[in-house]
Amino acid sequence: MSQTEKMGLKPLQTIPLRQVAIQDDFWSDRLRNVIETVVPYQWDALNDAIPGAEPSHTIENFRLAAGESEGEYYGMVFQDSDLGKWLETVGFALSKERNPELEKLADEVIELLGRAQRPDGYLNSYYTVKEPDARWTNLRDYHELYCAGHLMEAAVAYYEATGKREFLDIMCRYADYIGTVFGSNPGQKKGYDGHPEVELALVKLYQASGNRSYLELSQFFVEERGRQPHFFDEEEKERDAAQGQIGRKKRRYDYFQAHMPVREQKTAEGHSVRAVYLYSAMADLAAVNQDAGMLEACKELWNDVVQRKMYVTGGIGSSAFEERFTVPYDLPNDRAYTETCAAIGLVFWAQRMLQLEKDRKYADVMELALYNGVLSGISLDGKSYFYVNPLEVWPDTANFRNDMHSVKVKRQPWFGCACCPPNIARLITSLGQYIYSANDEERELYTHLYIGSKVQFEVDGKPVQLSQETDYPWDGQAALQLSLEMPAEFTLSVRLPGWCRKSVIKVGGVETEADRIENGYAKLKRTWKDGDRIELSFDMHVEMVRAHPNVRENAGKVALQRGPVVFCLEEIDNGSNLQDIVLSGDAQFDAHYEEQLLGGVTVLTGIGSRSVVPPESSGSLYTTQPFDMVSVPVKAIPYFAWSNRVPGEMTVWIRSR
Amino acid sequence: MSQTEKMGLKPLQTIPLRQVAIQDDFWSDRLRNVIETVVPYQWDALNDAIPGAEPSHTIENFRLAAGESEGEYYGMVFQDSDLGKWLETVGFALSKERNPELEKLADEVIELLGRAQRPDGYLNSYYTVKEPDARWTNLRDYHELYCAGHLMEAAVAYYEATGKREFLDIMCRYADYIGTVFGSNPGQKKGYDGHPEVELALVKLYQASGNRSYLELSQFFVEERGRQPHFFDEEEKERDAAQGQIGRKKRRYDYFQAHMPVREQKTAEGHSVRAVYLYSAMADLAAVNQDAGMLEACKELWNDVVQRKMYVTGGIGSSAFEERFTVPYDLPNDRAYTETCAAIGLVFWAQRMLQLEKDRKYADVMELALYNGVLSGISLDGKSYFYVNPLEVWPDTANFRNDMHSVKVKRQPWFGCACCPPNIARLITSLGQYIYSANDEERELYTHLYIGSKVQFEVDGKPVQLSQETDYPWDGQAALQLSLEMPAEFTLSVRLPGWCRKSVIKVGGVETEADRIENGYAKLKRTWKDGDRIELSFDMHVEMVRAHPNVRENAGKVALQRGPVVFCLEEIDNGSNLQDIVLSGDAQFDAHYEEQLLGGVTVLTGIGSRSVVPPESSGSLYTTQPFDMVSVPVKAIPYFAWSNRVPGEMTVWIRSR
């Protein structure tokens, strides 16, 4: 490929999930909650067994496809993907601990998938049940390959956790069949899905199966995207000629990131979840193919997102309409869309960029999205979800105004379009993958995230265990302890978080300089021996964050951040009319842990001021008199924990003088 | 009526338009522009003769109704009302100066109306052409009485200007027929229109014709509104039973101000134009019927609007969805709907409240809406219009975001739903009605507005002329000079504007105290003689206006106002990123007139500060470093004159420290 310039990219390697065990005050409960509560709850949801929630019909759709039930298909065209995300979550959960009962459920539904699969390998409940003759007639709108992708990811996770090949084989058969349908040969479709997903899934399938044709198919889909003549035009012509399925409302192709070939795209456009799934696949291909041109494209897109289109919470996609990116610096807080899935997709992409570039800046964004824009999507009890994650909520207004119709004041039990709940579940159960990376060639272990855990890895074929202890994200201390049979020389590369102004490293209790600091990672190269202990201390001050002056919604405002956690004000703690609270530029905040609050969180307390509101009877809406101001206590809670008490106002950005 | 308590309300009397001649630097050009440019332009529009504009079809619809043309009805169901507003404008224009050519056009179209009228008096082109058997089957949605109302208003204006009865007679015949259809007798409909308008028009028709049944019909419509069993439910049942015309999307009845009987309504709800048209009729009925209960209802609604739901420009209706009022203090600037027609309706209502209550506070709002929220709806050349009048515009965002789809960055030549352009034209041509009022019983002339003009009135049957000279709104001086045959004792009541902190009155060059000041009016009771001259001097300082702290969008911001004129910043004068400009609390502004700018306006200049924007290459969207600030010149132009140069950003509210 002419535009591909080979170079010596040496990406980090992901440590397989089964080698990482999380034991962490903050995350273990969440992980257990997902496994013990969310997974069964979501199984019930997939089976329409949750009273009051919108029906899912996902399992029933596959029974219909297998010819084992009678009735109509129900649900979105991409309902299959919910089962994919659930099964992937189950796979991740089983990596941590086998669970015969859960495995039995999964095996049964995998068998159902096998029975629903057509003899040629095709596996999609919507088309099989509803339009058996219309396969591959509307890639633009009908999510056929998207669903395939989620099932592929699930199959890989389940195989890696259990070693059972059945699901993997089903999906390889499907991928083989897809490979006959799509491609550059005569009679094949030069197409791709309107919703990227299969591209990154095929890379995983390649890695799990070793079958390089899946990698090539992924690359085909990515490179074809946005080329002329445009596939979506071509397939529409075919639909029109066949008077077949009517396409949905026509959209501009930037909605699908198909407005130009991906290597030419310089700005993040369109549906934000689709965007980051595509960019993740592009990063995968850059890594696997040593493709510097593709990496450059990823970097340009990354800069556009994080420098112009990302909320301070790591949320992306500021428009409810088309769930999309808009124009630079357009980040309204009260109409933020910031879909939970988009923040999750940003974590996926950030991890891939981090492995490629070994630069802390990617880990900073990954961590920011994880602790804020992702985690806000799930309630503390794991039973209700935000699809949309605004940074300001005014319940009276949000409940009334049509232009805020997507904003919910309370998390909802499930959704008609239930993409976010299972997506958050699979991210939390796979969190172990994001903490460390290996750089085998350099005999190096990277620590990206501070999460209490044990990781197994090898140096010269000998097992090494690193145990991490920390009270993160409430405290900036982390201790890493090594356990190994014989001393071995290798490098520990520990991330110095971007939010930290001062960090101290001690080895064996003695303050130590890193051998060198590279891209925000402190490198400690030693001959390490059993029991060696590294203590990291990251100053975790309360920071007042300001947005670029071009972000009009945040002009004159600050957000409070401490460590990776962004804070917010809730009405229950601060009274109503939160917009009236003003912080001085040198306001001091005290951080303390409240064990009884919101499952145990660190809160920030300080002093602000607010107007003396004239009595209602005085009645003037406008006045030429400045308002008197009075001092008021201000209490901020972590953004992710908002809306777990009574419904009320919330704001992340606070006026500052 | 039991709930009606009679009391001695003595409303002021409107001075007929033909007795007031405007000669004013600010308004005469606008008036001439409407008469010489807008009226012919709108005539062309009604006749689909404007290249590039959406067709209106209004005249052609009447030709179809008269059986004089072949084809299909085209346009909104309320297309007839556009002709009503145009003819009313023509009537007002002819009050100023007869114009045979224009009168001939009008007479011809009035004859067409006569031919389109059914033998029973019915006159509506939509139903006559399209659904002749479906009259009065969908009062809720189809604007039948609304259209009747606009034609009635036009007939009254045309009659008062020309003395010709033909149009008046046509509309009386229609009103007589309507009176047979609607009422409390068996077989009559206990109904009313979804869009109030006929109610205030019937009061005018009563006043012009002396036929009291029109007043009673108006009262019937107003009092029935919102009663149970609900008329809209009843007519819907009938439609369903007849399988007739399908109603439009069902809405909550507060949209129509029909959620409860009008006397029980305490808050302004629903579609804002409908609301103020209804409230105007309620005020009319309070005045004509000496109905204190109705007046009380009006006052409660007034307070809700001006204390909780009105923009600083006098715009009302903050939601594009349903063009409606929302919840208290919900006044977003960038998504303000603030339809031009709603501000016009507020002027109508304010004038009626002013006549009833003789209180400056109503004149203040009337003047505020007139110079800001109304006048912003028309370009300086009178050829393009805003339907929606936001208080902040960010072109890139407004053009991109779907939740701002109603916001236009430039005025448009005409609209598919063309209610605003003819509405603004009829207000400007009838402006003479708003300047003065008589209080004959008290031998008193009120001056409400400062607009260069001559008004004729009588004292004891003898003619008196008052000439007003002023450079308002750019200058707070006004001189009133009397011309009368013989000395006569009467009272001049002059409004001391609410925006003015200090006013001086001179009579015959000598500073004088008013005899008394009542509700913001200075009363000068004298035996006046020919040539007496009263000089009024109102201190016109630049004021920094603050919104109630509950208005979240304006927290920490000020608006600049001088006299009745609200100012704004435009990008062309201040650069982009207007939200970054900050004024100190004691910022001083200089006001000076720029003859060459925007047809001649006073501008405000001062000093503000703004952030030193980090270079794009530094790239951070968020930072913990405060931005350096630099002083910048700030230039504000009158809000009404925005968007008459190049498209760009605009903001009324400016950050303040």
Side-chain angles (χ1 to χ4, degrees):
Chain A
M1 222 157 295
S2 66
Q3 73 272 51
T4 306
E5 188 194 327
K6 296 267 178 187
M7 65 169 263
L9 297 177
K10 289 176 184 162
L12 302 178
Q13 298 96 47
T14 304
I15 309 252
L17 195 51
R18 63 180 176 277
Q19 293 171 223
V20 184
I22 289 177
Q23 291 170 333
D24 183 80
D25 278 354
F26 186 86
W27 285 105
S28 287
D29 282 355
R30 288 180 162 79
L31 192 49
R32 190 178 317 113
N33 183 44
V34 169
I35 294 172
E36 293 175 6
T37 306
V38 179
V39 167
Y41 179 91
Q42 295 188 338
W43 175 250
D44 287 345
L46 294 173
N47 285 280
D48 310 325
I50 297 185
E54 293 190 48
S56 155
H57 217 250
T58 305
I59 303 300
E60 181 64 12
N61 288 338
F62 280 110
R63 283 199 203 100
L64 294 171
E68 296 170 4
S69 186
E70 305 255 312
E72 294 287 316
Y73 181 91
Y74 176 89
M76 315 292 276
V77 291
F78 47 86
Q79 216 70 0
D80 290 5
S81 66
D82 284 351
L83 178 60
K85 289 185 210 165
W86 184 79
L87 277 168
E88 192 182 5
T89 304
V90 169
F92 293 145
L94 296 174
S95 300
K96 179 177 154 64
E97 192 173 8
R98 298 294 283 265
N99 172 336
E101 201 179 337
L102 181 60
E103 217 165 310
K104 185 162 169 286
L105 266 190
D107 287 339
E108 282 170 11
V109 80
I110 288 164
E111 284 168 26
L112 173 61
L113 288 177
R115 297 193 302 275
Q117 187 168 37
R118 300 294 86 198
D120 59 5
Y122 186 75
L123 178 57
N124 178 293
S125 76
Y126 174 84
Y127 279 101
T128 301
V129 174
K130 213 162 168 180
E131 304 197 69
D133 300 327
R135 286 183 197 174
W136 316 122
T137 56
N138 192 347
L139 273 288
R140 190 187 71 192
D141 304 323
Y142 277 66
H143 292 72
E144 224 165 342
L145 291 170
Y146 169 85
C147 289
H150 273 300
L151 288 166
M152 288 174 193
E153 284 199 274
V156 171
Y158 199 74
Y159 166 69
E160 289 185 345
T162 64
K164 297 182 189 172
R165 290 200 62 97
E166 186 180 9
F167 192 11
L168 190 70
D169 290 343
I170 289 171
M171 295 317 298
C172 286
R173 277 198 298 279
Y174 190 11
D176 293 339
Y177 163 68
I178 293 169
T180 66
V181 176
F182 293 89
S184 302
N185 295 325
Q188 288 186 308
K189 286 180 187 288
K190 291 185 78 172
Y192 44 86
D193 201 272
H195 196 318
E197 154 64 23
V198 76
E199 297 81 356
L200 70 86
L202 282 164
V203 176
K204 286 188 178 179
L205 200 64
Y206 151 67
Q207 284 160 337
S209 69
N211 184 337
R212 200 170 168 86
S213 71
Y214 304 146
L215 177 67
E216 288 159 4
L217 185 56
S218 170
Q219 175 136 16
F220 171 81
F221 286 138
V222 169
E223 302 278 8
E224 276 306 311
R225 198 166 201 93
R227 285 200 177 157
Q228 294 295 343
H230 204 286
F231 174 68
F232 294 161
D233 294 336
E234 300 293 309
E235 68 163 12
E236 189 161 38
K237 276 185 222 153
E238 282 183 34
R239 280 198 301 274
D240 290 347
Q243 299 192 303
Q245 188 183 70
I246 310 273
R248 299 189 168 195
K249 184 170 68 87
K250 201 157 166 115
R251 301 174 190 267
R252 287 173 19 175
Y253 289 156
D254 64 354
Y255 171 79
F256 309 94
Q257 297 80 42
H259 50 304
M260 58 177 74
V262 300
R263 290 172 191 271
E264 295 168 25
Q265 296 183 22
K266 306 291 182 205
T267 56
E269 304 293 344
H271 188 278
S272 57
V273 175
R274 297 175 195 231
V276 285
Y277 282 19
L278 173 64
Y279 306 157
S280 295
M282 289 165 66
D284 280 338
L285 293 174
V288 178
N289 294 329
Q290 300 279 302
D291 183 340
M294 191 67 92
L295 175 59
E296 273 314 303
C298 289
K299 285 164 72 173
E300 285 236 40
L301 292 164
W302 177 271
N303 287 342
D304 188 53
V305 170
V306 303
Q307 292 176 8
R308 284 177 284 276
K309 295 174 181 167
M310 185 182 75
Y311 286 89
V312 73
T313 55
I316 53 172
S318 71
S319 166
F321 174 72
E322 296 193 335
E323 308 175 306
R324 67 177 292 148
F325 290 110
T326 64
V327 292
Y329 305 109
D330 174 46
L331 297 166
N333 295 308
D334 58 354
R335 287 164 298 134
Y337 194 67
T338 47
E339 186 181 338
T340 306
C341 283
I344 291 169
L346 182 59
V347 170
F348 298 160
W349 184 30
Q351 185 199 28
R352 286 162 169 83
M353 295 303 288
L354 174 61
Q355 310 252 51
L356 271 162
E357 292 267 283
K358 312 175 190 71
D359 190 319
R360 150 181 94 185
K361 69 180 184 183
Y362 299 105
D364 285 340
V365 168
M366 180 170 85
E367 182 182 76
L368 183 76
L370 181 65
Y371 282 95
N372 302 287
V374 170
L375 212 49
S376 63
I378 185 167
S379 63
L380 294 176
D381 67 5
K383 289 185 179 169
S384 59
Y385 304 88
F386 278 133
Y387 194 109
V388 169
N389 297 276
L391 280 77
E392 254 182 46
V393 169
W394 318 98
D396 289 351
T397 308
N399 291 335
F400 198 98
R401 287 190 71 92
N402 193 258
D403 52 18
M404 292 177 171
H405 67 94
S406 62
V407 170
K408 300 284 177 270
V409 175
K410 283 178 62 179
R411 291 179 184 83
Q412 310 287 306
W414 197 258
F415 300 98
C417 171
C419 57
C420 301
N423 220 353
I424 202 167
R426 71 179 180 136
L427 179 64
I428 290 177
T429 47
S430 64
L431 187 61
Q433 284 181 348
Y434 297 86
I435 307 173
Y436 307 100
S437 296
N439 189 357
D440 290 341
E441 207 164 327
E442 303 288 335
R443 303 163 66 91
E444 193 172 7
L445 183 84
Y446 272 78
T447 300
H448 306 301
L449 297 180
Y450 296 101
I451 293 176
S453 55
K454 286 191 191 343
V455 55
Q456 315 285 341
F457 59 104
E458 289 188 349
V459 176
D460 297 333
K462 301 255 166 51
V464 180
Q465 179 179 279
L466 180 143
S467 303
Q468 181 184 163
E469 279 176 44
T470 181
D471 282 328
Y472 210 84
W474 309 131
D475 179 86
Q477 318 294 320
L480 309 177
Q481 182 148 340
L482 288 162
S483 130
L484 62 176
E485 288 170 23
M486 305 177 45
E489 191 191 71
F490 59 94
T491 303
L492 288 177
S493 291
V494 296
R495 168 171 159 257
L496 308 177
W499 50 258
C500 175
R501 295 182 188 225
K502 181 169 184 296
S503 50
V504 175
I505 301 173
K506 290 182 185 173
V507 176
V510 180
E511 199 170 319
T512 309
E513 289 291 310
D515 303 314
R516 64 183 200 285
I517 294 176
E518 209 175 281
N519 295 330
Y521 283 81
K523 308 258 173 180
L524 302 165
K525 185 174 180 181
R526 299 279 192 289
T527 298
W528 298 101
K529 61 181 193 309
D530 191 49
D532 274 352
R533 186 174 172 88
I534 303 97
E535 288 162 304
L536 307 170
S537 175
F538 303 123
D539 245 24
M540 201 178 252
H541 278 300
V542 180
E543 299 281 1
M544 293 176 110
V545 178
R546 287 168 177 80
H548 190 285
N550 289 6
V551 183
R552 83 182 61 89
E553 304 273 350
N554 299 339
K557 296 181 181 173
V558 295
L560 301 175
Q561 182 172 348
R562 181 174 175 275
V565 176
V566 174
F567 286 73
C568 70
L569 307 185
E570 272 198 307
E571 182 176 348
I572 188 174
D573 300 313
N574 298 283
S576 62
N577 292 322
L578 295 174
Q579 78 285 349
D580 191 36
I581 295 175
V582 187
L583 303 179
S584 69
D586 58 357
Q588 297 298 312
F589 277 85
D590 174 53
H592 65 278
Y593 187 75
E594 285 195 22
E595 194 168 349
Q596 300 306 316
L597 184 69
L598 296 164
V601 290
T602 291
V603 300
L604 310 183
T605 53
I607 300 291
S609 59
R610 61 188 306 164
S611 311
V612 179
V613 181
E616 181 75 6
S617 58
S618 82
S620 279
L621 189 49
Y622 302 102
T623 175
T624 55
Q625 297 301 316
F627 296 103
D628 289 333
M629 304 293 280
V630 286
S631 283
V632 288
V634 174
K635 178 175 179 176
I637 63 159
Y639 169 71
F640 71 76
W642 89 275
S643 190
N644 278 288
R645 292 174 289 175
V646 294
E649 295 179 10
M650 182 277 290
T651 190
V652 168
W653 290 94
I654 308 165
R655 282 169 58 209
S656 165
R657 63 174 76 241
Chain B
M1 223 157 291
S2 67
Q3 73 272 47
T4 307
E5 189 194 326
K6 296 266 177 186
M7 64 167 266
L9 298 176
K10 290 178 184 162
L12 302 178
Q13 297 96 47
T14 304
I15 309 252
L17 195 52
R18 64 180 175 278
Q19 293 172 221
V20 184
I22 290 178
Q23 291 170 334
D24 183 80
D25 278 355
F26 186 85
W27 286 105
S28 287
D29 282 355
R30 288 181 162 80
L31 193 49
R32 190 177 318 111
N33 184 44
V34 169
I35 293 173
E36 293 176 6
T37 307
V38 179
V39 167
Y41 179 89
Q42 295 187 340
W43 176 250
D44 287 345
L46 294 172
N47 286 281
D48 310 325
I50 298 186
E54 295 190 46
S56 156
H57 219 251
T58 304
I59 302 299
E60 181 65 9
N61 289 338
F62 280 108
R63 282 199 203 100
L64 295 171
E68 297 169 4
S69 186
E70 305 255 313
E72 295 285 317
Y73 181 91
Y74 176 89
M76 315 292 274
V77 291
F78 47 86
Q79 216 70 0
D80 289 4
S81 65
D82 285 351
L83 178 59
K85 289 184 210 164
W86 182 79
L87 277 169
E88 193 183 4
T89 304
V90 169
F92 294 145
L94 296 174
S95 301
K96 180 175 154 64
E97 192 173 9
R98 298 294 284 264
N99 173 336
E101 200 179 339
L102 182 59
E103 220 165 308
K104 183 160 171 288
L105 267 189
D107 287 339
E108 282 171 10
V109 81
I110 289 165
E111 283 168 26
L112 173 62
L113 289 177
R115 298 195 300 277
Q117 188 168 36
R118 299 295 87 198
D120 59 4
Y122 186 76
L123 177 56
N124 178 293
S125 76
Y126 175 83
Y127 278 102
T128 301
V129 174
K130 213 163 168 178
E131 304 198 69
D133 299 329
R135 287 183 197 174
W136 316 123
T137 56
N138 193 345
L139 272 289
R140 190 187 70 193
D141 303 324
Y142 277 66
H143 293 70
E144 224 164 343
L145 290 171
Y146 169 84
C147 288
H150 273 301
L151 288 167
M152 288 173 194
E153 285 199 272
V156 170
Y158 199 72
Y159 167 68
E160 290 185 343
T162 63
K164 296 183 190 171
R165 290 199 62 97
E166 186 179 9
F167 192 11
L168 190 69
D169 291 343
I170 289 171
M171 294 318 295
C172 287
R173 277 199 297 281
Y174 191 12
D176 294 339
Y177 163 69
I178 292 170
T180 66
V181 175
F182 292 90
S184 302
N185 295 325
Q188 287 186 307
K189 285 181 188 287
K190 292 185 76 173
Y192 43 87
D193 201 272
H195 196 317
E197 155 64 22
V198 76
E199 297 82 355
L200 70 86
L202 282 165
V203 176
K204 287 188 177 179
L205 200 62
Y206 151 66
Q207 285 160 336
S209 69
N211 184 339
R212 201 170 168 85
S213 71
Y214 304 147
L215 178 66
E216 288 158 5
L217 185 57
S218 170
Q219 175 136 16
F220 170 82
F221 286 138
V222 169
E223 301 280 7
E224 275 307 310
R225 198 167 199 90
R227 285 202 179 155
Q228 294 295 345
H230 204 287
F231 174 70
F232 293 161
D233 294 337
E234 301 294 308
E235 68 161 13
E236 190 160 39
K237 277 184 221 152
E238 281 182 36
R239 280 200 301 274
D240 289 347
Q243 299 191 304
Q245 186 184 69
I246 309 273
R248 299 191 167 193
K249 183 169 69 86
K250 202 160 165 109
R251 301 175 189 266
R252 285 174 19 173
Y253 289 157
D254 64 352
Y255 171 78
F256 308 96
Q257 297 80 41
H259 50 306
M260 59 178 75
V262 299
R263 289 173 191 270
E264 296 169 25
Q265 296 183 22
K266 307 292 183 206
T267 56
E269 305 293 343
H271 188 278
S272 58
V273 176
R274 298 176 194 232
V276 285
Y277 282 20
L278 173 64
Y279 306 157
S280 294
M282 289 167 65
D284 280 337
L285 293 174
V288 178
N289 293 329
Q290 300 279 300
D291 185 341
M294 191 67 93
L295 175 58
E296 272 313 303
C298 288
K299 285 163 72 174
E300 286 236 39
L301 292 164
W302 178 270
N303 287 341
D304 189 53
V305 170
V306 303
Q307 293 176 9
R308 285 177 284 275
K309 295 173 181 168
M310 185 182 75
Y311 285 89
V312 73
T313 55
I316 53 173
S318 71
S319 166
F321 174 70
E322 296 193 337
E323 306 174 309
R324 67 177 292 148
F325 290 112
T326 65
V327 293
Y329 306 109
D330 175 45
L331 296 166
N333 296 308
D334 58 354
R335 287 164 298 134
Y337 194 66
T338 47
E339 186 180 337
T340 306
C341 284
I344 291 169
L346 182 59
V347 170
F348 297 160
W349 184 29
Q351 185 199 29
R352 286 161 169 84
M353 296 303 288
L354 174 61
Q355 311 252 50
L356 271 162
E357 293 266 282
K358 313 175 189 69
D359 190 320
R360 151 181 94 187
K361 69 180 183 181
Y362 299 105
D364 285 340
V365 168
M366 181 171 86
E367 182 182 76
L368 184 76
L370 181 65
Y371 281 97
N372 303 286
V374 171
L375 212 49
S376 63
I378 185 166
S379 63
L380 294 176
D381 67 6
K383 289 185 180 169
S384 58
Y385 304 87
F386 279 133
Y387 194 109
V388 168
N389 296 276
L391 279 78
E392 253 182 47
V393 168
W394 318 98
D396 289 351
T397 308
N399 290 336
F400 198 99
R401 287 191 71 92
N402 193 259
D403 51 18
M404 293 178 171
H405 67 93
S406 61
V407 171
K408 301 283 177 271
V409 175
K410 283 178 62 179
R411 291 180 184 82
Q412 310 289 305
W414 196 259
F415 301 98
C417 171
C419 56
C420 300
N423 221 351
I424 202 166
R426 70 179 180 135
L427 179 65
I428 290 177
T429 47
S430 63
L431 188 62
Q433 284 180 348
Y434 296 85
I435 306 173
Y436 306 100
S437 297
N439 189 357
D440 290 340
E441 205 164 328
E442 303 286 337
R443 303 165 65 91
E444 192 174 6
L445 182 85
Y446 273 77
T447 301
H448 306 301
L449 297 180
Y450 296 100
I451 293 177
S453 54
K454 288 192 191 344
V455 57
Q456 315 286 341
F457 59 105
E458 290 188 350
V459 177
D460 298 332
K462 301 254 166 52
V464 180
Q465 179 180 279
L466 181 142
S467 302
Q468 183 183 165
E469 282 176 42
T470 180
D471 282 330
Y472 210 86
W474 308 131
D475 179 85
Q477 319 294 320
L480 309 178
Q481 182 147 341
L482 288 162
S483 133
L484 61 175
E485 287 170 22
M486 306 176 42
E489 191 191 71
F490 58 92
T491 304
L492 288 177
S493 291
V494 295
R495 169 171 158 257
L496 308 176
W499 50 258
C500 175
R501 295 181 188 225
K502 182 168 183 295
S503 49
V504 175
I505 302 174
K506 290 182 185 170
V507 176
V510 179
E511 198 170 319
T512 307
E513 289 292 309
D515 303 313
R516 63 183 201 282
I517 293 174
E518 209 176 279
N519 295 331
Y521 283 82
K523 307 258 173 180
L524 302 166
K525 185 174 179 179
R526 299 278 192 287
T527 298
W528 298 103
K529 60 181 195 307
D530 191 49
D532 275 352
R533 186 175 172 86
I534 303 99
E535 289 163 304
L536 306 169
S537 175
F538 305 124
D539 244 25
M540 204 178 247
H541 277 302
V542 180
E543 300 281 1
M544 294 176 111
V545 179
R546 288 168 176 80
H548 191 286
N550 289 6
V551 183
R552 81 181 62 89
E553 304 273 351
N554 298 340
K557 297 180 181 175
V558 295
L560 300 175
Q561 184 172 347
R562 182 174 174 274
V565 176
V566 174
F567 285 74
C568 70
L569 307 185
E570 272 200 306
E571 182 176 349
I572 188 174
D573 300 312
N574 299 281
S576 62
N577 292 322
L578 295 175
Q579 79 284 349
D580 192 35
I581 294 175
V582 187
L583 303 180
S584 69
D586 57 358
Q588 297 297 314
F589 277 85
D590 174 53
H592 66 278
Y593 187 75
E594 285 195 22
E595 194 168 349
Q596 300 306 315
L597 184 68
L598 296 162
V601 292
T602 290
V603 301
L604 310 182
T605 52
I607 300 292
S609 59
R610 60 189 307 166
S611 312
V612 179
V613 181
E616 181 75 5
S617 58
S618 82
S620 280
L621 189 49
Y622 302 103
T623 173
T624 54
Q625 296 301 317
F627 296 103
D628 289 333
M629 303 293 281
V630 286
S631 284
V632 288
V634 174
K635 177 174 182 176
I637 63 157
Y639 169 71
F640 71 76
W642 88 275
S643 190
N644 277 289
R645 291 175 289 175
V646 295
E649 295 180 10
M650 183 277 291
T651 190
V652 168
W653 290 93
I654 309 165
R655 283 170 57 208
S656 165
R657 64 173 76 240

